[in-house]
Amino acid sequence: MNEKYSVSRIQLGEDSNWEFKRVVVSGQRVNEPKKPKFADELAAMANGRGGTVLLGVDDESREIFGIPLNDLDTVEGWIREICNDLVRPALDADIRKVQIGASGVQLVPVIRIDVPRSLFVHKSPGGYFRRIGSSKREMSPEMLARLIQERSYGRLIRFDETIVHGTTRSDLDYSLTKRFAMGDPTDDTLHKLRVLATDDDGTDRLTIAGTLLCTSEPQHWLKHAYIQAVSYAGVRADTDCQTDSRDITGPLDRQVAEALRFLQRNMTVRAEKTFVRSDRPQFSERTVFEALVNSVAHRDYSIGGSRIRLLLFKDRLELYVPGALASTLTPDSLHLRQASRNELIVSLLSRCPAPSGLNRSLLMDRRGDGVPIIRAECESLTGYLPDYSLIDEREIRLVIRAAA
């Protein structure tokens, strides 16, 4: 954000794409602007053509007050809470701390929020809003119905193919990208793979799928895209009984491999001796592998603030995956039917090599055998089928019993 440009732009005042807000912080609390009203402003931009908000600038006087350095993290966290908790579906905004000149001389810190035009229609505390000119307007039922229909057609481009704002071509890790292309991938190849896409300004950006599988740390942009693994000594979630915990980050295939190693490290293996010695593991590694692959392939990456959770207990394993079931699937029909939320992610995962030690060459196949395998392996080891359930239409829970 060029300093001279930013000061000149502020002097022009607000319009369809620019909003200014002065920020008042007391202690660790943001007093102004009010959370619900500000959520309405952000949702209105996302429901329109997108736009930019500058926090630290008075919207009436256009004076640059800035935000005290000690308060920047507080304000940033406040913004993220609004995007994740007060706007539905959650809003994916680019939040940056920048410096601009106050009175043309002194540089002061402000926060810039870039809100992209969304593929969804967002509801905020005040209802459904759309930005018109320099203000938000509540949408009439007719306009709302038209926008929902328009955005539904727009989502024929699947969410995992959409652009991740703030990424550039240089963020690609070519050692990871080569898994999906022969030799050194060209721009044309990367676009055909839909790892790259061109934004409205003609700049190449990474897609959701490209970021998740072709960068070394996708969590830099998609902070919720990781697996939280915890092992407990007993049968309930108690911090005093934790035996191991880890936040597993990196590309999706690395997350699956590291989560499987977490399981191997923490589960018990009981030796049984009849005519010959045999080992009886607490959980089937093949079962957990298939469940982990399904979780990273089919989770809803549009839900911010949620992560995949792998919880190990003495008597069971629980896996929580953000998002409702795709299409018209139900927990009871998972083993009978097939549907995919993230077609591109599934396509790329099916080209990734499987972790060593497994009797397969590729991480994922596209035949839809994952859930039937999980059921068969669970029943063979424990005598019980896995239990799939849906929590508040926002999270899938899988419970696998431990071997007795």
Side-chain angles (χ1 to χ4, degrees):
M1 190 175 184
N2 180 275
E3 178 194 340
K4 289 183 179 179
Y5 166 76
S6 60
V7 175
S8 300
R9 182 63 199 76
I10 289 168
Q11 296 309 310
L12 293 175
E14 297 177 338
D15 59 18
S16 297
N17 299 101
W18 286 87
E19 174 80 15
F20 308 137
K21 291 290 181 188
R22 187 175 177 180
V23 178
V24 178
V25 181
S26 177
Q28 296 297 309
R29 181 184 178 87
V30 178
N31 291 333
E32 292 290 342
K34 300 301 182 186
K35 260 188 176 183
K37 294 288 187 183
F38 192 63
D40 291 343
E41 297 285 359
L42 295 178
M45 281 189 165
N47 289 336
R49 297 187 216 172
T52 300
V53 181
L54 281 184
L55 288 180
V57 179
D58 189 270
D59 58 331
E60 295 183 1
S61 67
R62 302 175 193 174
E63 184 176 352
I64 304 170
F65 288 92
I67 301 171
L69 282 171
N70 293 338
D71 294 331
L72 284 174
D73 290 342
T74 297
V75 177
E76 182 185 13
W78 176 80
I79 298 165
R80 293 197 186 283
E81 284 181 10
I82 290 173
C83 292
N84 289 329
D85 301 337
L86 295 189
V87 180
R88 285 287 176 264
L91 195 60
D92 184 19
D94 185 22
I95 306 168
R96 287 181 282 169
K97 302 166 186 174
V98 298
Q99 287 187 316
I100 57 177
S103 304
V105 179
Q106 181 187 4
L107 287 175
V108 296
V110 299
I111 289 183
R112 171 174 174 158
I113 310 168
D114 289 310
V115 181
R117 177 185 182 275
S118 180
L119 289 173
F120 301 89
V121 180
H122 297 271
K123 185 179 183 181
S124 51
Y128 289 95
F129 292 91
R130 197 171 190 182
R131 192 167 179 88
I132 300 175
S134 60
S135 60
K136 66 181 185 297
R137 293 284 186 273
E138 188 170 6
M139 286 187 274
S140 66
E142 295 78 15
M143 178 180 285
L144 178 59
R146 192 164 58 247
L147 183 62
I148 290 173
Q149 184 180 40
E150 173 192 313
R151 300 274 165 111
S152 296
Y153 285 131
R155 286 200 298 278
L156 291 175
I157 301 175
R158 293 180 178 270
F159 185 77
D160 58 344
E161 297 179 32
T162 59
I163 285 170
V164 177
H165 293 274
T167 61
T168 65
R169 190 184 187 282
S170 63
D171 293 314
L172 286 172
D173 183 329
Y174 279 91
S175 65
L176 298 173
T177 308
K178 285 180 180 179
R179 297 176 298 176
F180 311 117
M182 298 296 291
D184 292 326
T186 64
D187 283 358
D188 183 56
T189 301
L190 293 172
H191 277 277
K192 287 179 179 177
L193 287 169
R194 289 168 288 169
V195 167
L196 286 181
T198 305
D199 67 11
D200 294 337
D201 297 325
T203 303
D204 282 346
R205 309 281 186 190
L206 275 63
T207 61
I208 296 280
T211 303
L212 290 170
L213 282 156
C214 297
T215 65
S216 57
E217 282 296 329
Q219 296 71 35
H220 179 74
W221 300 277
L222 304 170
K223 298 184 184 299
H224 53 286
Y226 67 95
I227 299 174
Q228 183 182 69
V230 185
S231 174
Y232 297 96
V235 296
R236 62 191 180 93
D238 186 337
T239 53
D240 292 336
C241 296
Q242 278 189 20
T243 58
D244 195 4
S245 66
R246 185 181 171 196
D247 288 344
I248 301 170
T249 61
L252 297 186
D253 56 317
R254 188 185 303 164
Q255 290 185 38
V256 170
E258 291 298 322
L260 190 61
R261 279 192 276 272
F262 182 91
L263 171 83
Q264 293 166 340
R265 187 169 66 246
N266 287 285
M267 75 173 176
T268 60
V269 179
R270 189 177 69 195
E272 294 183 339
K273 190 171 183 180
T274 50
F275 294 106
V276 294
R277 174 191 167 104
S278 63
D279 292 333
R280 184 177 175 82
Q282 188 180 14
F283 302 103
S284 161
E285 290 184 17
R286 189 182 183 195
T287 294
V288 180
F289 170 76
E290 294 288 350
L292 288 168
V293 172
N294 280 348
S295 69
V296 299
H298 301 301
R299 71 153 287 180
D300 188 344
Y301 288 97
S302 72
I303 300 177
S306 298
R307 68 277 185 203
I308 296 170
R309 291 179 290 147
L310 173 65
L311 309 180
L312 302 182
F313 299 93
K314 183 179 179 180
D315 63 342
R316 70 194 186 282
L317 175 153
E318 295 182 2
L319 187 65
Y320 293 83
V321 184
L325 291 168
S327 188
T328 57
L329 288 176
T330 66
D332 294 333
S333 68
L334 278 172
H335 63 294
L336 300 172
R337 299 174 51 223
Q338 184 181 8
S340 178
R341 173 181 285 110
N342 305 307
E343 288 285 356
L344 179 53
I345 290 175
V346 168
S347 174
L348 295 177
L349 285 174
S350 67
R351 304 185 189 194
C352 290
S356 60
L358 293 172
N359 187 25
R360 61 191 299 164
S361 58
L362 296 175
L363 193 74
M364 187 176 196
D365 67 55
R366 306 191 66 178
R367 293 175 297 180
D369 293 339
V371 176
I373 289 172
I374 292 170
R375 288 169 58 91
E377 289 283 319
C378 282
E379 192 167 25
S380 173
L381 181 65
T382 69
Y384 294 96
L385 289 171
D387 179 32
Y388 286 93
S389 58
L390 196 56
I391 303 173
D392 296 333
E393 297 295 327
R394 288 181 58 81
E395 193 171 43
I396 303 161
R397 178 175 63 188
L398 167 62
V399 179
I400 296 172
R401 293 201 192 193

